[in-house]
């Protein structure tokens, strides 16, 4: 359960950004999350609920997820492709084993929804 | 003037602080000529025994290895590793289930990196959390013991996908627990195609030579 650490990190980055928007109210925090980030979404939601109680600035901010799919560069197709699954890390088109991960590791604060 | 909600794009890595510290560490390690290897696995997969053997063999070969050991509460692992005569330090993480780059930074503060050529970072026994955190390592090992079963890679694909090398430990027990080597290899290769796999036993020493050779090759790259 490292999701509490992650939730606190999200609030840290958001707080840093809010220095550019003093006085605004935060309605939502958008997080881009890839399947290879190592973060369990459900656990992060619960951890975030706890973490935001400590920070008045974000007391009403929802957590909104933007799911990022896994994308690899397939050496055979010579193109970006999805994989079958994290259990079968092969190109979904031609079944070539995939090693060059282009997307899917994201754990990113994408945006803030503000009310000014 | 109407001021409805508006979306401000941020696009910042949530773990950017950790990543920055890790980047700084990696640079320092490279400059000092220290090859840094991290180890992740479930509790009880033989990380400490493997590390004790590794440190001892490196010392015997005239190298200067050291280790940092993450553990939730005890310093038993560090005490075991100290028998190798290598500098060893425990990082007690308390309730934290993983190591972070800043902990490594603090732990090496008193060490002169120029006095070392290998540094091992033993993560807390956990196959989930450590995958998100860069520690500044050059090589990440994931350990799997034969007693854990062949399907572990399929249950924890993310951590296997984040590793550079898989080590199957306690291979001396393979027959007793009817460990299916081929299935394990197939599963590892399915979640992380092309990752090198070494089978070894810290107890009998089987496979340790191949590991030492691989370490020597990688550290010179």
């Amino acid at each position: 359960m490292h999701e509490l650490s992650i939730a606190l990190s999200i609030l840290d980055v958001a707080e840093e950004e809010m220095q550019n928007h003093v006085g605004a109210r935060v309605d939502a925090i958008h997080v881009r999350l890839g399947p290879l980030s190592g973060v369990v979404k459900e656990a992060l939601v619960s951890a975030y609920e706890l973490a935001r109680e400590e920070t008045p600035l974000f007391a009403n901010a929802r957590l909104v997820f933007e799911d990022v799919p896994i994308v690899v560069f397939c050496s055979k197709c010579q193109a970006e492709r999805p994989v079958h699954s994290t259990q079968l890390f092969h190109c979904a088109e031609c079944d070539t084993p995939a090693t060059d991960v282009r997307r899917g590791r994201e754990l990113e604060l994408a945006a803030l929804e503000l009310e000014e | 003037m109407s001021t409805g909600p508006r979306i401000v794009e941020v696009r910042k890595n949530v773990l950017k602080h950790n990543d920055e510290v890790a980047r700084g560490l990696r640079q320092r390690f490279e400059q000092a000529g220290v090859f840094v290897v991290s180890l992740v696995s479930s509790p009880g997969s033989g990380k400490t025994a493997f590390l004790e053997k590794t440190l001892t063999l490196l010392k015997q070969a005239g190298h200067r290895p050291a280790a940092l050991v993450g553990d939730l509460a005890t310093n038993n692992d560090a005490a075991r590793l100290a028998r190798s005569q290598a500098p060893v330090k425990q990082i007690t993480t308390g309730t934290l289930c993983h190591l972070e780059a800043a902990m490594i930074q603090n732990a090496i503060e008193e060490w002169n990196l120029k006095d070392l050529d290998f540094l091992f970072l033993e993560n807390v026994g956990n196959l989930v959390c450590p995958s998100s955190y860069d520690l500044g390592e050059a090589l990440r090992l994931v350990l799997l013991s034969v007693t854990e079963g062949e399907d572990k890679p399929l249950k924890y694909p993310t951590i296997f996908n984040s590793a550079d090398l898989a080590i199957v430990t306690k291979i001396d027990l393979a027959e007793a627990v009817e460990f299916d080597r081929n299935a394990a290899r197939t599963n590892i290769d399915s979640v992380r195609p092309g990752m090198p796999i070494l089978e070894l036993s810290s107890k009998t020493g089987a496979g340790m030579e191949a590991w030492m050779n691989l370490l020597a090759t990688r550290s010179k790259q």
Side-chain angles (χ1 to χ4, degrees):
Chain A
M1 265 294 288
H2 64 311
E3 277 76 7
L4 188 58
S5 306
I6 303 281
L8 292 169
S9 297
I10 290 175
L11 293 180
D12 279 347
V13 178
E15 208 164 354
E16 211 175 277
E17 179 64 23
M18 284 307 289
Q19 287 167 6
N20 303 322
H21 311 280
V22 177
R25 208 179 71 211
V26 189
D27 286 342
I29 299 179
H30 292 236
V31 171
R32 281 162 58 84
L33 199 60
L36 297 176
S37 64
V39 172
V40 180
K41 207 191 276 185
E42 293 72 20
L44 180 55
V45 170
S46 323
Y48 173 77
E49 297 295 328
L50 276 175
R52 71 172 179 178
E53 280 176 21
E54 307 289 314
T55 24
L57 186 58
F58 303 107
N60 296 309
R62 289 169 293 124
L63 197 58
V64 179
F65 288 105
E66 298 174 12
D67 293 315
V68 184
I70 296 174
V71 174
V72 297
F73 187 82
C74 174
S75 56
K76 194 171 168 205
C77 300
Q78 282 294 304
E80 292 194 345
R81 297 279 191 241
V83 292
H84 291 300
S85 70
T86 50
Q87 277 90 13
L88 185 57
F89 217 76
H90 292 183
C91 171
E93 295 276 332
C94 74
D95 211 35
T96 300
T99 53
D100 186 357
V101 181
R102 294 289 169 92
R103 282 200 292 283
R105 299 198 195 281
E106 288 83 350
L107 172 54
E108 194 180 273
L109 202 164
L112 295 173
E113 248 175 74
L114 303 181
E115 193 94 47
E116 285 164 303
Chain B
M1 206 172 88
S2 132
T3 53
R6 70 180 176 110
I7 299 212
V8 178
E9 202 170 302
V10 183
R11 300 208 65 146
K12 277 189 185 148
N13 193 336
V14 168
L15 296 179
K16 74 185 177 85
H17 177 65
N18 184 79
D19 291 350
E20 278 159 18
V21 177
R23 214 174 300 133
L25 283 172
R26 188 167 283 118
Q27 214 167 16
R28 282 174 62 192
F29 293 145
E30 274 169 20
Q31 277 165 2
V34 190
F35 189 71
V36 182
V37 180
S38 73
L39 293 81
V40 290
S41 79
S42 315
S45 68
K47 276 195 301 300
T48 309
F50 167 71
L51 200 48
E52 186 181 352
K53 191 84 182 171
T54 299
L55 293 174
T56 305
L57 290 174
L58 285 171
K59 287 285 278 187
Q60 282 169 3
H63 293 292
R64 301 167 303 166
L68 296 175
V69 190
D71 195 275
L72 294 173
T74 73
N75 64 0
N76 299 347
D77 289 356
R80 268 173 75 189
L81 291 175
R83 295 189 301 209
S84 69
Q85 308 289 318
V88 175
K89 209 170 192 179
Q90 184 88 34
I91 301 177
T92 307
T93 59
T95 56
L96 209 59
C97 50
H98 59 273
L99 289 177
E100 297 188 6
M103 298 173 179
I104 308 295
Q105 195 177 40
N106 293 337
I108 61 168
E109 219 162 58
E110 297 155 24
W111 283 351
N112 186 354
L113 292 179
K114 289 241 162 37
D115 294 340
L116 304 175
D117 39 27
F118 289 97
L119 174 63
F120 295 87
L121 312 174
E122 183 183 331
N123 220 312
V124 181
N126 185 329
L127 278 180
V128 182
C129 312
S131 65
S132 307
Y133 293 86
D134 184 0
L135 301 179
E137 70 268 62
L139 189 71
R140 184 183 281 193
L141 313 186
V142 59
L143 274 67
L144 167 74
S145 65
V146 299
T147 53
E148 289 170 73
E150 305 82 10
D151 59 348
K152 216 66 192 261
L154 300 179
K155 289 182 180 164
Y156 301 94
T158 305
I159 197 113
F160 276 83
N161 197 279
S162 79
D164 305 301
L165 171 68
I167 299 219
V168 179
T169 58
K170 306 186 189 178
I171 202 72
D172 52 305
L173 301 177
E175 249 175 69
V177 297
E178 295 180 357
F179 180 73
D180 185 340
R181 284 185 149 111
N182 290 334
R185 285 183 168 268
T186 304
N187 291 341
I188 292 169
D189 201 62
S190 182
V191 299
R192 178 75 153 127
M195 175 157 65
I197 303 166
L198 292 180
E199 295 174 358
L200 52 82
S201 164
S202 311
K203 194 172 160 199
T204 67
M208 287 304 288
E209 201 183 325
W211 157 234
M212 284 293 121
N213 291 339
L214 188 143
L215 193 57
T217 312
R218 288 294 182 99
S219 63
K220 282 178 196 128
Q221 276 169 358

